[in-house]
Amino acid sequence: MIRPPAVAGRFYPKDPEVLGVEIDLLLASGTQQQKIRAQACLVPHAGYRFSGEVAGEVYSRMEIPPRVVLLGPRHFPRGACFAILSDGAWKTPLGLAPIDHALAEKIMRACRLLREDSVAHQSEHSLEVQLPFLQRLAPSFAFVPIVIGSAQYADLEALGHAIADVVGSELGPILLIASSDMNHYESDAVTREKDRKAIDRILALDPRGLFDTVRNEDISMCGYGAAVAMLTAVRRMGATRAELARYSNSSETNGDLQEVVGYAGIVIS
């Protein structure tokens, strides 16, 4: 099955040449010269106009291995709550990004919560907008797409443990990417305060703390479930360091200080 692009021409350019140039510019704006072999990262998924520089900063800092697990939120109430695709490819203007069938099958066997479900992925942008960056940096990569709806902590923890166990049994590096924007549609001041609380828990590699903070502080971080699962996995895999690569919000692009969306880029090693 070929999954066609859902947001090309809206979240990022539809023309492949224009898209390639934009990706290169976003990557070139990165501030760190030495690339690291990261275990995981958190990246935003808004339109490139708004969050592309944050994503570019993160991707410019990392070596991209040939295998990637992409975790993101299911924004629309359709399809399975833990939805995976294990076969086929996703199309972007830069070409086809193949699914890592063998890795997806192993993760599905390790986590019985996961359901093969194309409906949940059909219109979802949170994973799609990451693919052009990966295609530009690692043209031969393959990936596993997983989106998560509303979930309890125990289920997110179970997914994280399953991913860690599978990744730990594989030869060669596998990068975990959690796709999430931060707080939504509150003032600049409120958003920065709420985002700082969530970011602090991520930097502490504290999945339970992130889950509780988002819930207790009413932080509308859309991909916190993906971030919790990712943090659970990297802790099990021995990660020791998380660094905030860049933070911004939508007011820096459109000047609106009243209805702001936050964007954080974090690299974990």
PDB file of all heavy atoms in Angstrom, residues 123-143:
ATOM      1  N   SER A 123      -5.220  10.818   7.306  1.00  0.00           N
ATOM      2  CA  SER A 123      -5.181  12.276   7.222  1.00  0.00           C
ATOM      3  C   SER A 123      -4.243  12.902   8.241  1.00  0.00           C
ATOM      4  O   SER A 123      -4.177  14.124   8.336  1.00  0.00           O
ATOM      5  CB  SER A 123      -6.592  12.846   7.440  1.00  0.00           C
ATOM      6  OG  SER A 123      -7.503  12.341   6.487  1.00  0.00           O
ATOM      7  N   GLU A 124      -3.517  12.087   8.976  1.00  0.00           N
ATOM      8  CA  GLU A 124      -2.689  12.577  10.075  1.00  0.00           C
ATOM      9  C   GLU A 124      -1.391  13.211   9.560  1.00  0.00           C
ATOM     10  O   GLU A 124      -0.693  12.615   8.750  1.00  0.00           O
ATOM     11  CB  GLU A 124      -2.373  11.416  11.030  1.00  0.00           C
ATOM     12  CG  GLU A 124      -1.511  11.789  12.212  1.00  0.00           C
ATOM     13  CD  GLU A 124      -2.100  12.940  13.000  1.00  0.00           C
ATOM     14  OE1 GLU A 124      -3.268  12.851  13.430  1.00  0.00           O
ATOM     15  OE2 GLU A 124      -1.385  13.945  13.148  1.00  0.00           O
ATOM     16  N   HIS A 125      -1.064  14.394  10.078  1.00  0.00           N
ATOM     17  CA  HIS A 125       0.115  15.114   9.600  1.00  0.00           C
ATOM     18  C   HIS A 125       1.335  14.968  10.502  1.00  0.00           C
ATOM     19  O   HIS A 125       2.451  15.300  10.092  1.00  0.00           O
ATOM     20  CB  HIS A 125      -0.195  16.606   9.455  1.00  0.00           C
ATOM     21  CG  HIS A 125      -0.538  17.289  10.741  1.00  0.00           C
ATOM     22  ND1 HIS A 125      -1.812  17.298  11.262  1.00  0.00           N
ATOM     23  CD2 HIS A 125       0.228  17.980  11.631  1.00  0.00           C
ATOM     24  CE1 HIS A 125      -1.810  17.978  12.402  1.00  0.00           C
ATOM     25  NE2 HIS A 125      -0.593  18.395  12.648  1.00  0.00           N
ATOM     26  N   SER A 126       1.154  14.492  11.724  1.00  0.00           N
ATOM     27  CA  SER A 126       2.238  14.566  12.705  1.00  0.00           C
ATOM     28  C   SER A 126       3.469  13.766  12.302  1.00  0.00           C
ATOM     29  O   SER A 126       4.603  14.158  12.614  1.00  0.00           O
ATOM     30  CB  SER A 126       1.744  14.110  14.083  1.00  0.00           C
ATOM     31  OG  SER A 126       1.332  12.756  14.084  1.00  0.00           O
ATOM     32  N   LEU A 127       3.282  12.658  11.612  1.00  0.00           N
ATOM     33  CA  LEU A 127       4.413  11.873  11.122  1.00  0.00           C
ATOM     34  C   LEU A 127       4.842  12.317   9.729  1.00  0.00           C
ATOM     35  O   LEU A 127       6.037  12.376   9.420  1.00  0.00           O
ATOM     36  CB  LEU A 127       4.066  10.385  11.095  1.00  0.00           C
ATOM     37  CG  LEU A 127       3.535   9.763  12.387  1.00  0.00           C
ATOM     38  CD1 LEU A 127       3.432   8.248  12.226  1.00  0.00           C
ATOM     39  CD2 LEU A 127       4.392  10.121  13.586  1.00  0.00           C
ATOM     40  N   GLU A 128       3.873  12.642   8.913  1.00  0.00           N
ATOM     41  CA  GLU A 128       4.169  12.986   7.512  1.00  0.00           C
ATOM     42  C   GLU A 128       5.171  14.126   7.385  1.00  0.00           C
ATOM     43  O   GLU A 128       6.068  14.080   6.542  1.00  0.00           O
ATOM     44  CB  GLU A 128       2.879  13.338   6.779  1.00  0.00           C
ATOM     45  CG  GLU A 128       3.090  13.715   5.323  1.00  0.00           C
ATOM     46  CD  GLU A 128       1.807  14.128   4.630  1.00  0.00           C
ATOM     47  OE1 GLU A 128       0.736  13.596   4.979  1.00  0.00           O
ATOM     48  OE2 GLU A 128       1.877  14.991   3.734  1.00  0.00           O
ATOM     49  N   VAL A 129       5.019  15.160   8.212  1.00  0.00           N
ATOM     50  CA  VAL A 129       5.890  16.330   8.042  1.00  0.00           C
ATOM     51  C   VAL A 129       7.337  16.044   8.435  1.00  0.00           C
ATOM     52  O   VAL A 129       8.238  16.815   8.089  1.00  0.00           O
ATOM     53  CB  VAL A 129       5.362  17.543   8.837  1.00  0.00           C
ATOM     54  CG1 VAL A 129       3.980  17.953   8.346  1.00  0.00           C
ATOM     55  CG2 VAL A 129       5.336  17.283  10.328  1.00  0.00           C
ATOM     56  N   GLN A 130       7.591  14.935   9.117  1.00  0.00           N
ATOM     57  CA  GLN A 130       8.973  14.562   9.446  1.00  0.00           C
ATOM     58  C   GLN A 130       9.690  13.903   8.267  1.00  0.00           C
ATOM     59  O   GLN A 130      10.915  13.956   8.174  1.00  0.00           O
ATOM     60  CB  GLN A 130       8.996  13.593  10.644  1.00  0.00           C
ATOM     61  CG  GLN A 130       8.144  13.992  11.824  1.00  0.00           C
ATOM     62  CD  GLN A 130       8.418  15.382  12.354  1.00  0.00           C
ATOM     63  OE1 GLN A 130       9.535  15.892  12.239  1.00  0.00           O
ATOM     64  NE2 GLN A 130       7.408  16.011  12.933  1.00  0.00           N
ATOM     65  N   LEU A 131       8.928  13.291   7.387  1.00  0.00           N
ATOM     66  CA  LEU A 131       9.540  12.451   6.348  1.00  0.00           C
ATOM     67  C   LEU A 131      10.447  13.214   5.387  1.00  0.00           C
ATOM     68  O   LEU A 131      11.533  12.716   5.052  1.00  0.00           O
ATOM     69  CB  LEU A 131       8.452  11.698   5.576  1.00  0.00           C
ATOM     70  CG  LEU A 131       7.644  10.694   6.412  1.00  0.00           C
ATOM     71  CD1 LEU A 131       6.578  10.029   5.542  1.00  0.00           C
ATOM     72  CD2 LEU A 131       8.544   9.644   7.042  1.00  0.00           C
ATOM     73  N   PRO A 132      10.078  14.405   4.899  1.00  0.00           N
ATOM     74  CA  PRO A 132      11.008  15.104   3.999  1.00  0.00           C
ATOM     75  C   PRO A 132      12.371  15.396   4.629  1.00  0.00           C
ATOM     76  O   PRO A 132      13.397  15.327   3.939  1.00  0.00           O
ATOM     77  CB  PRO A 132      10.248  16.389   3.649  1.00  0.00           C
ATOM     78  CG  PRO A 132       8.806  15.999   3.752  1.00  0.00           C
ATOM     79  CD  PRO A 132       8.759  15.074   4.934  1.00  0.00           C
ATOM     80  N   PHE A 133      12.415  15.712   5.921  1.00  0.00           N
ATOM     81  CA  PHE A 133      13.710  15.898   6.589  1.00  0.00           C
ATOM     82  C   PHE A 133      14.520  14.608   6.535  1.00  0.00           C
ATOM     83  O   PHE A 133      15.714  14.614   6.211  1.00  0.00           O
ATOM     84  CB  PHE A 133      13.493  16.303   8.050  1.00  0.00           C
ATOM     85  CG  PHE A 133      13.097  17.727   8.255  1.00  0.00           C
ATOM     86  CD1 PHE A 133      11.766  18.063   8.462  1.00  0.00           C
ATOM     87  CD2 PHE A 133      14.035  18.743   8.253  1.00  0.00           C
ATOM     88  CE1 PHE A 133      11.382  19.374   8.660  1.00  0.00           C
ATOM     89  CE2 PHE A 133      13.668  20.070   8.448  1.00  0.00           C
ATOM     90  CZ  PHE A 133      12.341  20.390   8.652  1.00  0.00           C
ATOM     91  N   LEU A 134      13.871  13.495   6.863  1.00  0.00           N
ATOM     92  CA  LEU A 134      14.566  12.212   6.879  1.00  0.00           C
ATOM     93  C   LEU A 134      14.988  11.799   5.477  1.00  0.00           C
ATOM     94  O   LEU A 134      16.080  11.260   5.275  1.00  0.00           O
ATOM     95  CB  LEU A 134      13.667  11.157   7.515  1.00  0.00           C
ATOM     96  CG  LEU A 134      13.275  11.421   8.972  1.00  0.00           C
ATOM     97  CD1 LEU A 134      12.196  10.444   9.418  1.00  0.00           C
ATOM     98  CD2 LEU A 134      14.478  11.332   9.884  1.00  0.00           C
ATOM     99  N   GLN A 135      14.134  12.036   4.485  1.00  0.00           N
ATOM    100  CA  GLN A 135      14.472  11.691   3.109  1.00  0.00           C
ATOM    101  C   GLN A 135      15.673  12.494   2.618  1.00  0.00           C
ATOM    102  O   GLN A 135      16.504  11.975   1.859  1.00  0.00           O
ATOM    103  CB  GLN A 135      13.269  11.936   2.195  1.00  0.00           C
ATOM    104  CG  GLN A 135      12.145  10.929   2.384  1.00  0.00           C
ATOM    105  CD  GLN A 135      10.916  11.295   1.582  1.00  0.00           C
ATOM    106  OE1 GLN A 135      10.389  12.405   1.699  1.00  0.00           O
ATOM    107  NE2 GLN A 135      10.442  10.369   0.761  1.00  0.00           N
ATOM    108  N   ARG A 136      15.769  13.734   3.039  1.00  0.00           N
ATOM    109  CA  ARG A 136      16.887  14.586   2.609  1.00  0.00           C
ATOM    110  C   ARG A 136      18.193  14.162   3.265  1.00  0.00           C
ATOM    111  O   ARG A 136      19.256  14.201   2.651  1.00  0.00           O
ATOM    112  CB  ARG A 136      16.568  16.040   2.956  1.00  0.00           C
ATOM    113  CG  ARG A 136      17.319  17.070   2.135  1.00  0.00           C
ATOM    114  CD  ARG A 136      16.885  17.061   0.697  1.00  0.00           C
ATOM    115  NE  ARG A 136      17.464  18.178  -0.059  1.00  0.00           N
ATOM    116  CZ  ARG A 136      17.356  18.318  -1.357  1.00  0.00           C
ATOM    117  NH1 ARG A 136      16.691  17.398  -2.069  1.00  0.00           N
ATOM    118  NH2 ARG A 136      17.900  19.348  -1.984  1.00  0.00           N
ATOM    119  N   LEU A 137      18.107  13.735   4.524  1.00  0.00           N
ATOM    120  CA  LEU A 137      19.309  13.396   5.284  1.00  0.00           C
ATOM    121  C   LEU A 137      19.736  11.940   5.136  1.00  0.00           C
ATOM    122  O   LEU A 137      20.923  11.634   5.239  1.00  0.00           O
ATOM    123  CB  LEU A 137      19.080  13.704   6.767  1.00  0.00           C
ATOM    124  CG  LEU A 137      19.002  15.178   7.139  1.00  0.00           C
ATOM    125  CD1 LEU A 137      18.447  15.343   8.542  1.00  0.00           C
ATOM    126  CD2 LEU A 137      20.369  15.839   7.019  1.00  0.00           C
ATOM    127  N   ALA A 138      18.789  11.039   4.939  1.00  0.00           N
ATOM    128  CA  ALA A 138      19.085   9.603   4.851  1.00  0.00           C
ATOM    129  C   ALA A 138      18.185   8.983   3.793  1.00  0.00           C
ATOM    130  O   ALA A 138      17.181   8.339   4.118  1.00  0.00           O
ATOM    131  CB  ALA A 138      18.877   8.933   6.201  1.00  0.00           C
ATOM    132  N   PRO A 139      18.506   9.174   2.521  1.00  0.00           N
ATOM    133  CA  PRO A 139      17.594   8.769   1.441  1.00  0.00           C
ATOM    134  C   PRO A 139      17.192   7.305   1.454  1.00  0.00           C
ATOM    135  O   PRO A 139      16.131   6.955   0.941  1.00  0.00           O
ATOM    136  CB  PRO A 139      18.404   9.102   0.176  1.00  0.00           C
ATOM    137  CG  PRO A 139      19.355  10.181   0.592  1.00  0.00           C
ATOM    138  CD  PRO A 139      19.715   9.857   2.019  1.00  0.00           C
ATOM    139  N   SER A 140      17.979   6.437   2.073  1.00  0.00           N
ATOM    140  CA  SER A 140      17.656   5.007   2.059  1.00  0.00           C
ATOM    141  C   SER A 140      17.020   4.533   3.363  1.00  0.00           C
ATOM    142  O   SER A 140      16.932   3.323   3.594  1.00  0.00           O
ATOM    143  CB  SER A 140      18.920   4.185   1.783  1.00  0.00           C
ATOM    144  OG  SER A 140      19.880   4.394   2.812  1.00  0.00           O
ATOM    145  N   PHE A 141      16.551   5.459   4.196  1.00  0.00           N
ATOM    146  CA  PHE A 141      15.999   5.045   5.485  1.00  0.00           C
ATOM    147  C   PHE A 141      14.655   4.328   5.290  1.00  0.00           C
ATOM    148  O   PHE A 141      13.965   4.489   4.287  1.00  0.00           O
ATOM    149  CB  PHE A 141      15.820   6.266   6.406  1.00  0.00           C
ATOM    150  CG  PHE A 141      14.504   6.978   6.259  1.00  0.00           C
ATOM    151  CD1 PHE A 141      13.485   6.789   7.183  1.00  0.00           C
ATOM    152  CD2 PHE A 141      14.268   7.830   5.183  1.00  0.00           C
ATOM    153  CE1 PHE A 141      12.272   7.438   7.038  1.00  0.00           C
ATOM    154  CE2 PHE A 141      13.062   8.483   5.036  1.00  0.00           C
ATOM    155  CZ  PHE A 141      12.051   8.284   5.966  1.00  0.00           C
ATOM    156  N   ALA A 142      14.279   3.551   6.301  1.00  0.00           N
ATOM    157  CA  ALA A 142      12.943   2.946   6.404  1.00  0.00           C
ATOM    158  C   ALA A 142      12.431   3.226   7.808  1.00  0.00           C
ATOM    159  O   ALA A 142      13.211   3.417   8.745  1.00  0.00           O
ATOM    160  CB  ALA A 142      13.003   1.450   6.138  1.00  0.00           C
ATOM    161  N   PHE A 143      11.104   3.236   7.965  1.00  0.00           N
ATOM    162  CA  PHE A 143      10.559   3.681   9.244  1.00  0.00           C
ATOM    163  C   PHE A 143       9.344   2.855   9.646  1.00  0.00           C
ATOM    164  O   PHE A 143       8.747   2.134   8.844  1.00  0.00           O
ATOM    165  CB  PHE A 143      10.194   5.163   9.170  1.00  0.00           C
ATOM    166  CG  PHE A 143       8.933   5.482   8.406  1.00  0.00           C
ATOM    167  CD1 PHE A 143       7.790   5.937   9.065  1.00  0.00           C
ATOM    168  CD2 PHE A 143       8.871   5.334   7.025  1.00  0.00           C
ATOM    169  CE1 PHE A 143       6.635   6.241   8.371  1.00  0.00           C
ATOM    170  CE2 PHE A 143       7.708   5.638   6.321  1.00  0.00           C
ATOM    171  CZ  PHE A 143       6.586   6.087   6.995  1.00  0.00           C
TER     172      PHE A 143
END
